[in-house]
C-alpha cells in the first residue's frame, strides 16, 4: 500500500513538473512576443521645413552641375533590356532591374559593359518565381533578390553565383537591408494576418521581429518605389506626399518636409480618396515619388499644376536649386536630365531610352549649328545608337557644397 502511494506521488510530481515547465515555456514565449513593439512615428523633422515658391526661385541646372558623362549599355541577347525600373550603383558597377519586361536583375560596368545576370526564373531551390525588388550589400559584395510569391530572399555574389536563401514569412513587395535590420514593405491585401502593419523590421541576424509601423500612422498613398538606401540608412516616401522619412529600428522620422505654397497638406493626404486626389492634383502640388538621397544633397521631383519641378536641397536644409526642364543648346547632355532614379556620392544617375535620345537628334544638331565642340559631342553620343539599342545612362556630377 505504501509502495502504491509512493508511486502515485511520484507520478503526480512528474506531471506537475511537466505542467510547470510548460507554463515556463509559455511565459517565455509571451515575454519574447511582448518585446515586439510598435515603432514611433515622429512628426518633428530632422531638417527644417523647406518652403518653395515655384514662381520665384528658379535656377539654371548647369549652374550646379560640375560634369556630365554617359555610357551606352552593351546590347546583346544576354543583356537586352526592356525598361529600367530601379538602379543601385557604386564606383565601378551599375545594378539594373527590369521588373516588368524581363523581370531580371543585371550588372554592368560603369563603361556599359555587360557583366552578369542574376538567377533565373523557375520553382527550383535556386530559382525565383518573380522578382519584386532587389538590394545590394556593398560591404559584403552580395546582391539580394526578393521573390514575393516564393516568399524568400535569394543571395548572390557580385559575379552572379548563388549563395543562399532566406525565407520570408509574409508577402512583401519592397525591402531594404543594412547591418541592423531588414525592412519590408507589407501590403495588407496580401497579408490579412498582419493588418495595418505597413513596414515590418526584422533583426538581420536572428530574424526576430522587433518593430512595425502602423499604416494608419503614415500617409495613405504608398505605391512601388517607396524605399531607398544611402550610406547604410534606409529612407521611405509615399508616392504622393510632402515628406521623406528616415527608417530605423525604433523610429519613422521625417527627414525632409517640402512645402510649396499650393501643396496638399499632410493631413489631407493621409485620408484622401483616389477620386478626391484626382481633383486636387489639378490645382495643388505634391512630391511625385522621384527622389534620391546623396552625400551633400537630396534630389526631389515635385508635381505642380504647371508641370514637373526639380529641387535640390543640401543636407543642412538649404535650397540649392529649383528648375524646370528645358533645352540647353550649349550642353545638349543637359537636355536629357528629367528623372534620375539612382545616385552615388554627389552624382545623379539617369537612364534614357535610345528612342528618346534619337528623337532629339535633329533638333540638337540644328541648335548646335557651327559649334564644332558641341557637334563632336553629338557625334560621339549618336555613334552606333539605334532604336534597338539598350539605354544610355547619364551621370550628372553635382558641385560639392562649400
Amino acid at each position: 500500500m505504501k509502495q502504491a502511494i509512493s508511486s502515485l506521488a511520484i507520478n503526480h510530481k512528474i506531471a506537475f513538473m511537466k505542467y510547470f515547465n510548460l507554463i515556463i515555456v509559455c511565459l517565455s514565449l509571451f515575454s519574447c512576443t511582448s518585446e515586439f513593439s510598435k515603432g514611433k512615428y515622429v512628426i518633428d523633422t530632422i531638417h527644417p521645413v523647406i518652403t518653395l515658391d515655384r514662381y520665384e526661385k528658379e535656377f539654371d541646372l548647369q549652374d550646379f552641375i560640375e560634369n556630365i558623362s554617359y555610357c551606352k549599355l552593351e546590347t546583346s541577347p544576354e543583356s537586352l533590356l526592356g525598361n529600367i525600373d530601379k538602379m543601385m550603383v557604386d564606383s565601378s558597377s551599375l545594378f539594373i532591374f527590369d521588373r516588368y519586361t524581363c523581370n531580371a536583375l543585371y550588372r554592368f560596368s560603369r563603361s556599359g559593359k555587360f557583366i552578369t545576370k542574376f538567377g533565373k526564373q523557375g520553382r527550383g531551390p535556386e530559382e525565383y518565381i518573380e522578382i519584386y525588388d532587389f538590394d545590394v550589400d556593398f560591404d559584403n559584395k552580395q546582391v539580394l533578390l526578393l521573390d514575393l510569391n516564393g516568399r524568400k530572399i535569394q543571395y548572390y555574389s557580385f559575379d552572379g553565383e548563388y549563395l543562399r536563401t532566406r525565407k520570408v514569412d509574409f508577402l512583401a513587395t519592397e525591402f531594404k537591408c543594412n547591418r541592423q535590420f531588414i525592412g519590408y514593405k507589407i501590403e495588407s491585401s496580401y497579408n490579412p494576418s498582419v493588418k495595418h502593419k505597413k513596414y515590418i523590421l526584422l533583426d538581420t541576424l536572428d530574424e526576430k521581429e522587433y518593430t512595425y509601423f502602423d499604416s494608419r500612422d503614415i500617409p495613405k498613398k504608398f505605391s512601388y518605389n517607396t524605399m531607398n538606401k544611402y550610406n547604410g540608412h534606409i529612407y521611405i516616401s509615399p508616392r504622393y506626399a510632402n515628406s521623406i522619412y528616415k527608417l530605423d529600428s525604433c523610429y519613422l522620422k521625417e527627414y525632409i518636409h517640402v512645402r510649396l505654397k499650393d501643396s496638399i497638406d499632410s493631413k489631407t493626404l493621409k485620408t484622401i480618396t483616389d477620386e478626391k486626389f484626382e481633383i486636387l492634383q489639378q490645382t495643388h502640388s505634391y512630391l511625385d515619388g522621384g527622389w534620391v538621397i546623396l552625400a551633400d544633397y537630396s534630389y526631389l521631383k515635385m508635381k505642380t499644376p504647371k508641370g514637373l519641378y526639380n529641387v535640390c536641397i543640401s543636407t543642412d536644409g538649404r535650397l540649392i536649386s529649383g528648375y524646370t526642364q528645358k533645352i540647353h543648346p550649349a550642353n545638349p547632355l543637359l537636355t536629357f536630365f528629367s528623372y534620375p532614379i539612382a545616385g552615388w556620392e554627389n552624382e545623379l544617375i539617369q537612364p534614357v531610352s535610345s528612342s528618346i535620345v534619337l528623337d532629339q537628334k535633329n533638333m540638337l544638331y540644328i541648335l548646335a549649328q557651327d559649334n564644332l565642340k558641341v557637334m563632336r559631342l553629338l557625334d560621339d553620343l549618336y555613334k552606333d545608337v539605334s532604336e534597338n539599342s539598350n539605354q544610355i545612362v547619364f551621370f550628372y556630377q553635382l558641385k560639392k557644397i562649400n
Side-chain angles (χ1 to χ4, degrees):
M1 183 69 178
K2 287 184 179 180
Q3 187 176 358
I5 293 173
S6 177
S7 176
L8 183 62
I10 290 172
N11 288 338
H12 276 295
K13 185 176 181 180
I14 291 173
F16 174 77
M17 289 303 296
K18 287 182 177 179
Y19 180 69
F20 179 78
N21 288 335
L22 179 61
I23 292 174
I24 294 297
V25 169
C26 291
L27 287 173
S28 174
L29 289 173
F30 177 79
S31 174
C32 290
T33 305
S34 67
E35 289 176 9
F36 301 170
S37 59
K38 179 179 175 181
K40 297 177 182 178
Y41 171 65
V42 181
I43 296 177
D44 293 338
T45 55
I46 296 174
H47 298 312
V49 172
I50 307 300
T51 302
L52 305 176
D53 187 332
R54 181 177 186 273
Y55 314 108
E56 296 175 2
K57 295 180 178 179
E58 186 150 342
F59 302 87
D60 198 323
L61 180 61
Q62 62 189 347
D63 290 340
F64 72 106
I65 288 184
E66 188 172 275
N67 182 57
I68 307 174
S69 58
Y70 63 86
C71 73
K72 302 171 187 177
L73 298 177
E74 179 183 337
T75 305
S76 66
E78 296 79 15
S79 66
L80 191 61
L81 300 166
N83 295 316
I84 296 179
D85 299 294
K86 275 191 175 183
M87 289 180 64
M88 293 184 72
V89 304
D90 64 4
S91 60
S92 60
S93 299
L94 310 175
F95 297 90
I96 294 177
F97 182 31
D98 178 355
R99 180 186 176 189
Y100 296 102
T101 306
C102 301
N103 193 236
L105 181 70
Y106 305 81
R107 180 187 173 202
F108 292 82
S109 72
R110 278 210 170 218
S111 64
K113 180 177 175 57
F114 172 66
I115 299 175
T116 192
K117 179 181 175 181
F118 296 93
K120 61 180 181 178
Q121 282 188 297
R123 295 184 178 270
E126 298 182 12
E127 299 173 332
Y128 57 81
I129 299 173
E130 182 181 5
I131 305 173
Y132 256 67
D133 199 7
F134 82 100
D135 196 10
V136 180
D137 181 348
F138 291 106
D139 293 334
N140 296 309
K141 295 190 180 302
Q142 294 180 356
V143 170
L144 292 68
L145 304 183
L146 174 65
D147 182 357
L148 178 139
N149 294 308
R151 297 196 178 205
K152 61 187 178 182
I153 294 174
Q154 293 187 201
Y155 290 70
Y156 298 85
S157 72
F158 273 16
D159 295 325
E161 177 187 0
Y162 169 81
L163 300 174
R164 62 190 175 95
T165 294
R166 177 196 292 267
K167 291 295 182 182
V168 180
D169 294 330
F170 38 78
L171 293 171
T173 54
E174 289 186 71
F175 83 115
K176 285 292 176 284
C177 68
N178 58 23
R179 294 177 181 177
Q180 287 183 291
F181 61 84
I182 301 178
Y184 297 95
K185 179 192 165 193
I186 307 301
E187 296 292 347
S188 58
S189 57
Y190 296 156
N191 301 271
S193 62
V194 291
K195 187 177 181 181
H196 299 312
K197 290 185 179 181
K198 177 59 69 174
Y199 288 93
I200 290 180
L201 308 186
L202 301 185
D203 185 275
T204 301
L205 296 178
D206 62 16
E207 301 188 25
K208 183 181 74 172
E209 177 189 344
Y210 56 78
T211 310
Y212 72 91
F213 296 95
D214 197 311
S215 61
R216 293 168 294 186
D217 291 340
I218 49 185
K220 180 182 177 183
K221 293 284 181 178
F222 281 84
S223 68
Y224 184 63
N225 283 358
T226 67
M227 302 185 79
N228 208 334
K229 185 170 75 173
Y230 179 78
N231 199 25
H233 299 292
I234 298 174
Y235 302 88
I236 65 172
S237 177
R239 170 71 172 171
Y240 310 122
N242 303 318
S243 300
I244 294 173
Y245 302 88
K246 190 174 183 180
L247 184 67
D248 67 22
S249 58
C250 298
Y251 294 97
L252 181 64
K253 190 166 187 177
E254 280 190 313
Y255 181 72
I256 293 175
H257 182 88
V258 181
R259 182 173 61 223
L260 287 166
K261 64 181 182 181
D262 57 357
S263 294
I264 304 174
D265 66 90
S266 298
K267 184 177 180 180
T268 300
L269 281 170
K270 188 174 175 181
T271 58
I272 195 170
T273 63
D274 292 338
E275 293 76 14
K276 180 67 173 176
F277 178 77
E278 291 295 327
I279 297 171
L280 283 180
Q281 69 173 329
Q282 300 173 22
T283 54
H284 290 71
S285 302
Y286 56 91
L287 180 59
D288 188 40
W291 54 283
V292 179
I293 305 295
L294 300 174
D296 293 333
Y297 298 90
S298 295
Y299 162 79
L300 315 170
K301 183 175 286 293
M302 303 293 296
K303 183 72 178 294
T304 75
K306 294 191 175 182
L308 292 173
Y309 183 48
N310 302 273
V311 180
C312 274
I313 300 169
S314 69
T315 50
D316 61 2
R318 290 179 292 145
L319 174 68
I320 299 301
S321 179
Y323 53 91
T324 49
Q325 184 68 14
K326 55 186 176 183
I327 302 298
H328 292 79
N331 193 341
L333 299 186
L334 282 170
T335 302
F336 300 106
F337 186 97
S338 61
Y339 215 116
I341 63 171
W344 183 74
E345 294 188 345
N346 280 328
E347 190 175 55
L348 289 170
I349 300 167
Q350 177 184 338
V352 180
S353 70
S354 58
S355 60
I356 289 177
V357 173
L358 289 169
D359 285 344
Q360 303 291 330
K361 183 176 180 179
N362 291 337
M363 180 193 64
L364 292 176
Y365 270 105
I366 290 171
L367 292 173
Q369 295 180 349
D370 297 326
N371 189 324
L372 294 180
K373 181 180 178 181
V374 174
M375 294 285 279
R376 283 196 295 269
L377 188 152
L378 291 173
D379 289 343
D380 290 339
L381 175 64
Y382 285 103
K383 182 180 179 181
D384 300 325
V385 174
S386 72
E387 291 282 351
N388 297 319
S389 298
N390 267 339
Q391 289 84 343
I392 298 173
V393 178
F394 291 87
F395 305 92
Y396 297 92
Q397 181 68 43
L398 306 185
K399 294 177 180 177
K400 192 167 180 63
I401 297 176
N402 296 322

